Amino acid sequence: MAMKVYGVTLSSNVVRSIAALNEKGLEYELCPVDLSTGAHKKPEFLALNPFGQIPAFQDGDVAIFESRAISRYVATKYKESGGDLLPVTVSCAQLETWLQVESSQFNPSISEINFELTIKPMIGMTTDMSNVEKKAEKLSAVLDVYEAHLAKNKYIAGDAFTLADLNHMPDIYLLLKSAKADLITSRPHVKAWWDDISARPAWKKTAASIPV
């Protein structure tokens, strides 16, 4: 039975999940969830994710929600398939640190910028530019740390592409489509890192499914 991802690819969290599956070369079915009709709040979806948020994921009898849990599950269970997202050549301490940095330092600001600049206009809402500027200032400070770190490291956790790199990719992709792309492009080491990881065939397959 093919694995199933429930959601839409306009969501960075859904994209994070399918990016891991594509990196592993695994077959899966994307099952659309119509947020406009509240399908994510109906009992059949709440049985998969009781918080009523996308994505949800099924692999046989295993059901998971939360995109980072999904990507970690895929990277761990299917370690021998496709590219190794948890390579032993990378320091476990560095990998775990940067997985947490992505979630707690990087994601909160970039996800809000993307929501304001990309998602709101698509669903008929008005962008709050004051919030964009506030979050851009916070993200800029975070990316200054990344720029210094990537001046000494080819990838975010060391010398190999890992799950820590992958988890960043959906939100950077959306940011680069927005008026705040310079937050990435103005930092040469961050941009070089992005140019490298976004050239991966698995990411190209993933990006082709994003409707932006």
Side-chain angles (χ1 to χ4, degrees):
M1 182 184 297
M3 287 175 271
K4 295 182 178 181
V5 179
Y6 297 84
V8 294
T9 55
L10 192 57
S11 161
S12 292
N13 292 324
V14 172
V15 172
R16 185 174 293 108
S17 303
I18 67 172
L21 290 162
N22 286 335
E23 193 67 42
K24 287 297 185 178
L26 300 170
E27 295 293 323
Y28 62 92
E29 178 185 356
L30 180 62
C31 304
V33 177
D34 191 346
L35 305 182
S36 67
T37 63
H40 55 308
K41 301 298 184 183
K42 293 181 178 176
E44 53 268 33
F45 185 82
L46 293 173
L48 297 169
N49 185 341
F51 293 102
Q53 299 172 328
I54 56 174
F57 173 80
Q58 286 184 307
D59 181 12
D61 294 333
V62 174
I64 311 174
F65 52 90
E66 295 295 336
S67 66
R68 292 168 184 80
I70 295 167
S71 64
R72 185 64 176 256
Y73 168 84
V74 169
T76 303
K77 180 172 182 180
Y78 297 99
K79 184 175 177 63
E80 304 306 318
S81 299
D84 189 356
L85 296 174
L86 303 169
V88 295
T89 56
V90 169
S91 160
C92 179
Q94 284 296 304
L95 177 59
E96 296 300 336
T97 295
W98 286 95
L99 284 167
Q100 185 62 34
V101 168
E102 183 276 326
S103 176
S104 63
Q105 302 290 337
F106 175 84
N107 182 258
S109 295
I110 195 171
S111 61
E112 281 210 43
I113 295 169
N114 286 335
F115 181 69
E116 292 285 358
L117 293 179
T118 301
I119 307 303
K120 274 189 172 183
M122 294 182 75
I123 60 176
M125 297 177 68
T126 302
T127 296
D128 180 350
M129 287 307 300
S130 65
N131 190 39
V132 170
E133 295 304 330
K134 178 181 175 183
K135 298 305 178 184
E137 183 177 353
K138 289 186 177 181
L139 181 59
S140 182
V142 171
L143 288 173
D144 285 344
V145 174
Y146 276 58
E147 178 68 9
H149 178 70
L150 289 165
K152 303 179 226 179
N153 297 275
K154 183 175 181 180
Y155 297 103
I156 205 70
D159 293 331
F161 179 84
T162 68
L163 189 62
D165 299 284
L166 182 144
N167 280 356
H168 287 82
M169 296 177 76
D171 280 306
I172 295 178
Y173 178 87
L174 286 185
L175 187 69
L176 285 168
K177 300 288 185 180
S178 79
K180 287 296 181 181
D182 65 304
L183 286 165
I184 300 297
T185 59
S186 66
R187 292 172 168 84
H189 294 103
V190 173
K191 183 178 183 299
W193 167 63
W194 172 254
D195 289 345
D196 182 336
I197 63 177
S198 63
R200 298 176 69 83
W203 177 253
K204 290 182 178 180
K205 179 180 179 180
T206 301
S209 71
I210 304 173
V212 176

